[in-house]
C-alpha cells in the first residue's frame, strides 16, 4: 500500500512550475556526453543552459535546441577555441562564477567540473556523472605519462595542480543532492571517490541510425575509435596482424595513428576518419566488432549490437554491463580479460568456435535496453523522486499538501 501510494504521489509530482538550469562541462562537438545532454534538454526544453565554453558550430546546434549558452570567462581567453583544455586549472573557479541562485532545480551532466556549480540549501542539484575526472583520480599516472609530464619540474607542477583539483572535486560533491551514474562501473567509482551512492541510468544509443539489415555478413572484423593510448587500438591491430588469415578494417584517426599503423600487417586496412553512415555500414556487414578499451560505459559496442553485430570486448568497465557473454542464453559477444595480444587472439578463436550461438535479432534486442526513450523515462522518474524527497525533507510544498491533491 505504501509503495502504491508513493507511486501515485510521484506520478502527480509537478515539475512544470520549476525554474530549471542545465549545466555541462563544455560544448565543442556531438559525442557521448552530448547525447545525454540532448535527452535532458528534450525533457526540459525551457531550461537555461550553462557551460564553461561553447564552440559548437552553427550546423551542430540542433541537439541543444539552438539555445543561447551561458559561458564563463574562459570563453574569451587567448586560444580557447582550440586549446580550452589547457585552462583546466582555472575551470573550478570559472564554473563557480555561474549565478544559479534563481533556479529551483539544477541538472548537471559532468565528466569534469560541471557538478561544481554553487548551489543554495533551497535548490535541488541532480548530477549525471559520466565519470569522476579520470585524469585527476585513478588515471592520473597514465595521463601524466601520455602527456609526457611524468618527469621534471613540469611534472611536479602538474601533480600539484591535480592534487588541488582533487580537493575541489571532493568538496563540490557535497553540493549534489542526487548522483546518477552512467553504469555500475561508474557507480563504484563515485562510491570510491566521493563516498556517495548513485542511481544508474545507462546513456542513450541512437537505435534508429544503428539498425539491423538483412544483407549478408562479409569476411572481416571491424573496429573504430579515436587513436589515443587508452583505446588500445595498437593491441587490436597487433593481434590481427598475427592472424594473417583474418582481415581487420579500422576507422578512426588521432595522435596515435602513426604508431598504430607501424604495427599493422597487410591484412589490416585503415580508412581514417569516416562519417557515421559509413561506420554503420561497416558495423552491419562485419563478422564482429572488436573493442579493447576500459571504458566508463562504451557506446560503440552497444551501437554494434544495435546493428545485430557480435562484440569481442575487453572484459572490464562498462562493456561488462552491455555485452552478454557465452554464459547467457542469448549471447551478444565474448570477452578477453587481459589487454594482451594472446588473450585477444584466444577471444577471436572462441568467437569463431561459437559462431552459431550468436543470433542477430537477439543481439539487437539486447541493445534496445539503451534506447533514448528508456533513458528519458528513467531520468524523469529519478528527477520526480528526488524533487518529492527534497520537498519532504525541507518541508516545502508540494510534499506536505493533503493527499487528495495528488490523487485523481
Amino acid at each position: 500500500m505504501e509503495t502504491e501510494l508513493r507511486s501515485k504521489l510521484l506520478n502527480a509530482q509537478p515539475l512544470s512550475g520549476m525554474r530549471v538550469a542545465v549545466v555541462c562541462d563544455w560544448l565543442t562537438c556531438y559525442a557521448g556526453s552530448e547525447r545525454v545532454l540532448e535527452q535532458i534538454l528534450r525533457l526540459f526544453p525551457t531550461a537555461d543552459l550553462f557551460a564553461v565554453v561553447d564552440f559548437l558550430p552553427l550546423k551542430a546546434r540542433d541537439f541543444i535546441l539552438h539555445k543561447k549558452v551561458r559561458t564563463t570567462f574562459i570563453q574569451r581567453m587567448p586560444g580557447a577555441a582550440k586549446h580550452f583544455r589547457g585552462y583546466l586549472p582555472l575551470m573550478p573557479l570559472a564554473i563557480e562564477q555561474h549565478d544559479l541562485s534563481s533556479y529551483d532545480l539544477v541538472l548537471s551532466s559532468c565528466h569534469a567540473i560541471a557538478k561544481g556549480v554553487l548551489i543554495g540549501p533551497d535548490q535541488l542539484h541532480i548530477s549525471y556523472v559520466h565519470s569522476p575526472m579520470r585524469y585527476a583520480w585513478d588515471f592520473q599516472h597514465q595521463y601524466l605519462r601520455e602527456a609526457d609530464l611524468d618527469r621534471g619540474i613540469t611534472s611536479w607542477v602538474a601533480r600539484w595542480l591535480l592534487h588541488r583539483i582533487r580537493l575541489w572535486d571532493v568538496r563540490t560533491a557535497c553540493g549534489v543532492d542526487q548522483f546518477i551514474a552512467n553504469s555500475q562501473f561508474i557507480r563504484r567509482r563515485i562510491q570510491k571517490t566521493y563516498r556517495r551512492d548513485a542511481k544508474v541510468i545507462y546513456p542513450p544509443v541512437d537505435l534508429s541510425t544503428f539498425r539491423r539489415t538483412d544483407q549478408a555478413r562479409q569476411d572481416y572484423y571491424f573496429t573504430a575509435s579515436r587513436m589515443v593510448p587508452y583505446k588500445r587500438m595498437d593491441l587490436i591491430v597487433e593481434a590481427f596482424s598475427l592472424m594473417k588469415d583474418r582481415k581487420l578494417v579500422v576507422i578512426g584517426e588521432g595522435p596515435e595513428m602513426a604508431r598504430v599503423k607501424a604495427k599493422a600487417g597487410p591484412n589490416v586496412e585503415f580508412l581514417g576518419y569516416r562519417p557515421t553512415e559509413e561506420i554503420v555500414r561497416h558495423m552491419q556487414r562485419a563478422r564482429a566488432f572488436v573493442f579493447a578499451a576500459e571504458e566508463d560505459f562504451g557506446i560503440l559496442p552497444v551501437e554494434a549490437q544495435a546493428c545485430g553485430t557480435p562484440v569481442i570486448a575487453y572484459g572490464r568497465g562498462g562493456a561488462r554491463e552491455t555485452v552478454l557473454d557465452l554464459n547467457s542464453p542469448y549471447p551478444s559477444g565474448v570477452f578477453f580479460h587481459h589487454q594482451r595480444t594472446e588473450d585477444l587472439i584466444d577471444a577471436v578463436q572462441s568467437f569463431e568456435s561459437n559462431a552459431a550461438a550468436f543470433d542477430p535479432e537477439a543481439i539487437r534486442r539486447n541493445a534496445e535496453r539503451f534506447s533514448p526513450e528508456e533513458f528519458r523515462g528513467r531520468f524523469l522518474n529519478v528527477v520526480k523522486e528526488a524533487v518529492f524527497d527534497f520537498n519532504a525533507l525541507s518541508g516545502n510544498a508540494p510534499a506536505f499538501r493533503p493527499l487528495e491533491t495528488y490523487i485523481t
Side-chain angles (χ1 to χ4, degrees):
M1 180 64 184
E2 183 178 343
T3 302
E4 181 181 352
L5 178 59
R6 181 178 175 81
S7 178
K8 288 182 178 180
L9 295 178
L10 290 175
N11 287 335
Q13 178 68 53
L15 298 177
S16 56
M18 304 184 78
R19 288 207 65 196
V20 181
V22 175
V23 187
C24 63
D25 294 305
W26 46 74
L27 289 165
T28 59
C29 64
Y30 182 69
S33 63
E34 288 76 18
R35 298 180 195 203
V36 167
L37 177 64
E38 177 181 27
Q39 299 304 320
I40 293 174
L41 291 175
R42 287 188 62 179
L43 287 171
F44 299 92
T46 61
D48 292 328
L49 182 56
F50 296 80
V52 172
V53 296
D54 170 22
F55 294 115
L56 279 176
L58 185 61
K59 64 181 181 180
R61 303 186 73 84
D62 288 353
F63 79 95
I64 62 167
L65 310 180
H66 291 273
K67 286 180 177 290
K68 179 181 178 181
V69 182
R70 304 178 193 200
T71 59
T72 70
F73 63 84
I74 293 179
Q75 180 84 17
R76 301 177 294 278
M77 297 291 278
K82 290 186 178 180
H83 305 292
F84 68 92
R85 287 181 178 85
Y87 290 105
L88 178 65
L90 295 177
M91 287 185 185
L93 173 64
I95 202 70
E96 291 175 347
Q97 304 316 303
H98 282 312
D99 182 3
L100 305 182
S101 58
S102 62
Y103 295 92
D104 305 301
L105 173 62
V106 176
L107 305 171
S108 60
S109 172
C110 181
H111 56 79
I113 44 78
K115 73 168 180 50
V117 288
L118 300 179
I119 301 296
D122 293 325
Q123 296 172 283
L124 174 62
H125 182 188
I126 301 172
S127 186
Y128 187 99
V129 174
H130 305 271
S131 176
M133 280 185 278
R134 303 174 76 190
Y135 37 86
W137 291 98
D138 47 327
F139 278 69
Q140 173 191 286
H141 304 294
Q142 179 179 331
Y143 164 76
L144 292 173
R145 284 194 302 271
E146 292 170 0
D148 199 24
L149 290 171
D150 55 340
R151 294 178 302 277
I153 296 297
T154 54
S155 173
W156 284 108
V157 171
R159 292 171 195 272
W160 182 82
L161 289 172
L162 290 173
H163 170 70
R164 299 299 301 175
I165 287 174
R166 280 193 293 275
L167 295 177
W168 175 86
D169 195 29
V170 171
R171 180 193 65 74
T172 58
C174 297
V176 177
D177 297 286
Q178 175 66 65
F179 277 104
I180 303 174
N182 73 352
S183 64
Q184 293 291 346
F185 180 65
I186 293 305
R187 181 186 181 188
R188 295 193 297 272
R189 186 174 276 165
I190 289 171
Q191 173 65 37
K192 178 69 72 173
T193 305
Y194 306 136
R195 293 300 175 188
R196 296 281 301 279
D197 196 14
K199 297 182 184 294
V200 174
I201 303 178
Y202 293 115
V205 174
D206 185 359
L207 298 175
S208 61
T209 299
F210 294 86
R211 60 191 185 279
R212 260 196 78 224
T213 67
D214 294 326
Q215 57 190 326
R217 298 279 168 177
Q218 298 183 10
D219 192 23
Y220 68 86
Y221 291 84
F222 177 59
T223 189
S225 175
R226 180 163 166 74
M227 300 284 182
V228 292
Y230 88 92
K231 297 289 188 179
R232 294 311 311 269
M233 295 294 278
D234 59 329
L235 168 65
I236 299 173
V237 167
E238 187 173 359
F240 274 87
S241 297
L242 295 172
M243 297 184 284
K244 302 183 187 303
D245 56 338
R246 295 172 178 87
K247 182 180 178 181
L248 175 69
V249 175
V250 181
I251 285 180
E253 59 184 16
E256 289 279 290
M257 176 66 91
R259 190 175 75 86
V260 173
K261 272 190 170 183
K263 295 177 177 287
N267 60 321
V268 178
E269 180 181 5
F270 289 87
L271 301 181
Y273 170 81
R274 287 291 187 272
T276 300
E277 314 85 73
E278 193 162 339
I279 293 174
V280 172
R281 285 198 299 272
H282 278 91
M283 281 183 171
Q284 291 169 336
R285 298 171 183 174
R287 295 182 69 179
F289 180 77
V290 187
F291 188 75
E294 180 183 338
E295 286 279 20
D296 308 325
F297 173 72
I299 204 162
L300 280 166
V302 183
E303 290 172 342
Q305 291 173 84
C307 296
T309 302
V311 176
I312 301 170
Y314 178 46
R316 290 195 63 181
R320 293 291 306 180
E321 301 170 48
T322 62
V323 179
L324 304 177
D325 66 13
L326 291 168
N327 293 319
S328 168
Y330 299 100
S332 62
V334 298
F335 293 120
F336 57 100
H337 300 287
H338 302 281
Q339 289 175 315
R340 300 183 301 219
T341 55
E342 57 266 33
D343 290 80
L344 177 50
I345 290 170
D346 287 345
V348 171
Q349 292 170 346
S350 175
F351 165 73
E352 293 177 351
S353 299
N354 294 277
F358 298 101
D359 175 14
E361 289 187 14
I363 294 172
R364 166 73 185 191
R365 285 197 301 271
N366 182 53
E368 288 171 354
R369 296 187 289 140
F370 309 99
S371 69
E373 294 78 13
E374 179 73 12
F375 175 88
R376 290 196 301 271
R378 290 176 60 82
F379 190 89
L380 187 59
N381 285 340
V382 169
V383 171
K384 284 184 174 183
E385 187 166 337
V387 169
F388 180 83
D389 290 339
F390 185 77
N391 286 331
L393 183 65
S394 61
N396 293 337
F400 283 88
R401 291 177 183 169
L403 293 183
E404 59 268 19
T405 64
Y406 293 103
I407 303 170
T408 59

